[in-house]
Amino acid sequence: MSELLKVHNISKTFRRNQVHALKNVSFECDKQDVISVVGASGSGKSTLLRIIAGLEIPNEGEIILEDNKINSSEVFLSPEKRNCSLVFQDFALFPNMSVRENIFFGKNASKNKPMIEELIEFTRIKNLLNRYPHEISGGQQQRVALVRALSINPSLLLLDEPLSQLDNELKHQVRNELIHLIKKVGATVLMVSHDIEDAMYMANKVLILNDGVVDQIDLPSKIFNLPSSSYVARLFGKTNILPFNDFSYIKHHFFDKDRNEEVVSVRPHEFKLNHSNPSSKNPEIKGKVLSINAIGAFYEILIDTGKFELLVHIDKVNQIKTADDLSLYIDKK
Ligand code: ADP
Ligand code: MG
């Protein structure tokens, strides 16, 4: 078997409130995959990680990690016997233990001392070892939590929204550090993120959870360009969901359950002014500018075609104002 992790038909209902947090979730994870789990709040992301870590028991399904069954109808391996580590959203460092004690808390940590020393050097926390969690910054707590998680040399690292507690500036720095750390130790990672940018930067695969169901698992670029549902398309940034009937020259289309029709997703930047590429084969779209906002290097424009309202991003080099008539085309096959 080449997969490191196999999750097969996992379902979880919380008895207390009868919430079906996960429904028949199946996927596989290869060695050194970095899979980003993305979904709206309450879609079951943390529950999935907690089940894999052994902190929740699924009602149904099977999980195999490195050829060992860790969950099935007969088997439940306790968290400390699973070869995986979970880093919680709030890092969950022990407040009454020093950084050093936190890091060496794991049962097998003392066996991996040289590797841990190297991680401590790599993450630049050596001068913090005698401090307590409340005496270090959020970014530093994050690094300590990661080193602690890696101290048992897990075959799978589970990260629940690792960057969500950090402010924007720190986030970009920590994101890069995290990418380096993952590469350095060759970790296999399943990482929850509600930030699409994080997912795109860090992951080689993205798994989309929609109300406890896997909507799509794919390369980040495919999720962005070839979404399988309107939910997936919208999770990955602003888009126009339009009837396939009116835009049948766009190849990739999918069924929208709420609208009960086939639709296409056209991102705002995929609209172009017609004069900028007269050789375009796609049909002309005419519309009037309803509103216009200058956002960084582009205009965000709401356009009324008479049939649709379109959200369009156009380079600021163009002179455009409210009530202008525009001629556009979609630069996409
Ligand atoms: P996410 O991490 O995607 O925001 P969660 O996995 O935390 O979502 O939760 C999924 C659903 O399960 C939510 O509706 C949540 O309220 C419910 N849930 C999570 N944990 C529990 C619990 N311990 N008891 C009851 N319901 C829970
Ligand atoms: Mg969560």
Side-chain angles (χ1 to χ4, degrees), residues 1 3 41 44 105 111 141 152 157 176 179 181 246 303 321:
M1 209 182 294
E3 305 85 21
S41 177
F105 178 79
K111 286 191 217 151
Q141 287 183 25
I152 62 161
L157 182 62
N176 287 332
I179 293 171
L181 186 60
D246 295 271
I303 289 171
K321 51 187 189 317

Side-chain angles (χ1 to χ4, degrees), residues 42 44-47 89 160-161 192:
K45 306 182 295 293
S46 296
T47 304
Q89 201 170 352
D160 197 347
E161 305 208 20
V192 167

Side-chain angles (χ1 to χ4, degrees), residues 88-297:
F88 295 88
Q89 201 170 352
D90 62 359
F91 312 138
L93 296 174
F94 305 114
N96 56 338
M97 289 186 193
S98 68
V99 166
R100 186 195 307 278
E101 288 164 339
N102 264 283
I103 289 172
F104 285 95
F105 178 79
K107 195 163 53 101
N108 295 322
S110 50
K111 286 191 217 151
N112 303 325
K113 209 154 182 254
M115 181 203 74
I116 298 172
E117 297 292 352
E118 204 186 322
L119 287 176
I120 287 171
E121 290 278 349
F122 185 75
T123 55
R124 306 187 314 279
I125 55 172
K126 199 167 182 175
N127 58 337
L128 310 174
L129 290 174
N130 294 322
R131 295 207 209 163
Y132 285 82
H134 71 272
E135 295 172 326
I136 59 178
S137 71
Q140 291 166 336
Q141 287 183 25
Q142 155 88 314
R143 290 188 229 147
V144 173
L146 280 167
V147 174
R148 181 177 69 177
L150 291 169
S151 70
I152 62 161
N153 203 10
S155 44
L156 178 66
L157 182 62
L158 304 165
L159 305 174
D160 197 347
E161 305 208 20
L163 305 173
S164 66
Q165 301 289 317
L166 308 171
D167 60 47
N168 229 359
E169 202 179 330
L170 194 55
K171 203 174 123 148
H172 291 149
Q173 184 197 330
V174 175
R175 181 164 69 195
N176 287 332
E177 287 176 7
L178 191 52
I179 293 171
H180 284 135
L181 186 60
I182 289 169
K183 288 237 170 77
K184 179 183 165 62
V185 300
T188 308
V189 182
L190 199 57
M191 174 185 71
V192 167
S193 165
H194 66 238
D195 188 320
I196 302 320
E197 207 180 285
D198 290 343
M200 300 279 257
Y201 265 99
M202 300 181 63
N204 65 319
K205 274 186 214 156
V206 177
L207 184 156
I208 307 277
L209 271 182
N210 181 4
D211 202 12
V213 175
V214 178
D215 251 21
Q216 191 168 0
I217 174 159
D218 230 324
L219 302 172
S221 60
K222 284 223 173 131
I223 300 264
F224 185 75
N225 293 310
L226 306 171
S228 67
S229 68
S230 301
Y231 172 84
V232 174
R234 288 208 184 89
L235 266 184
F236 266 61
K238 290 179 180 172
T239 196
N240 297 273
I241 304 291
L242 300 166
F244 180 54
N245 242 340
D246 295 271
F247 298 88
S248 54
Y249 52 91
I250 294 175
K251 264 203 207 103
H252 181 71
H253 56 100
F254 45 88
F255 189 72
D256 186 301
K257 274 187 252 150
D258 298 326
R259 293 163 56 150
N260 196 29
E261 63 177 347
E262 285 291 320
V263 294
V264 297
S265 161
V266 184
R267 304 231 173 247
H269 73 271
E270 293 176 317
F271 290 95
K272 297 277 148 57
L273 287 178
N274 230 340
H275 68 74
S276 59
N277 185 0
S279 65
S280 159
K281 299 279 187 298
N282 284 341
E284 181 184 31
I285 302 165
K286 283 183 174 167
K288 202 176 257 315
V289 174
L290 286 179
S291 67
I292 181 161
N293 276 307
I295 300 182

Side-chain angles (χ1 to χ4, degrees), residues 19 22 28 36 48 71 115 124 136 149 158 226 318 330 332:
V19 168
L22 296 174
E28 284 164 12
S36 189
L48 178 61
N71 275 95
M115 181 203 74
R124 306 187 314 279
I136 59 178
L158 304 165
L226 306 171
N318 299 287
I330 297 173
K332 168 173 174 149

Side-chain angles (χ1 to χ4, degrees), residues 23-38:
K23 301 161 200 164
N24 290 316
V25 169
S26 297
F27 67 94
E28 284 164 12
C29 180
D30 291 328
K31 244 196 164 97
Q32 300 198 349
D33 265 349
V34 177
I35 299 186
S36 189
V37 180
V38 181

